[in-house]
Amino acid sequence: MGNKISPTTFYEYCQEGNLAAVQTILSQVSPCVKEKLFAHRVEEMPMLSTPLFTAIQHHHLPVVQLLLDYGINPNSQIKVGFPQQNIVSLYGSFLTR
């Protein structure tokens, strides 16, 4: 696989809850590529659609936990029509279930 993974493909795996694919990618890419994957935002909703946010939205807790284990920043700020909020605090009740 190397470091030639599309950020959009990675995002889609997080959205689908494809834990095996997300884990395979994260275990094989360099830290630099990992940072780019974590920071990727979908063009249609650039302020909302990060891999972590979409995994939370779609209730894929194993993917959320894997992203956190691999060092995604849960304090990434988003803007949803009101002052920026922390992704994890916005959906914190889901993460504690």
Side-chain angles (χ1 to χ4, degrees), residues 35-74:
E35 283 183 36
K36 290 178 184 175
L37 293 175
F38 288 166
H40 178 71
R41 296 171 189 271
V42 175
E43 288 183 26
E44 300 84 52
M45 298 178 66
M47 297 306 284
L48 294 177
S49 299
T50 64
L52 178 62
F53 192 83
T54 195
I56 291 170
Q57 280 182 308
H58 293 278
H59 304 272
H60 298 307
L61 187 55
V63 173
V64 171
Q65 188 60 58
L66 183 65
L67 293 170
L68 293 170
D69 291 347
Y70 270 91
I72 198 166
N73 181 2

Side-chain angles (χ1 to χ4, degrees), residues 74-89:
N75 296 314
S76 296
Q77 297 296 306
I78 61 169
K79 183 177 180 180
V80 289
F82 46 88
Q84 292 187 354
Q85 293 193 18
N86 178 295
I87 290 173
V88 174
S89 68

Side-chain angles (χ1 to χ4, degrees), residues 3-48:
N3 289 334
K4 296 192 179 208
I5 182 69
S6 158
T8 301
T9 300
F10 181 75
Y11 171 87
E12 289 169 354
Y13 288 153
C14 292
Q15 185 178 40
E16 296 164 1
N18 191 334
L19 183 63
V22 173
Q23 187 165 23
T24 298
I25 292 166
L26 292 177
S27 69
Q28 295 181 3
V29 297
S30 71
C32 180
V33 171
K34 202 176 299 175
E35 283 183 36
K36 290 178 184 175
L37 293 175
F38 288 166
H40 178 71
R41 296 171 189 271
V42 175
E43 288 183 26
E44 300 84 52
M45 298 178 66
M47 297 306 284
L48 294 177

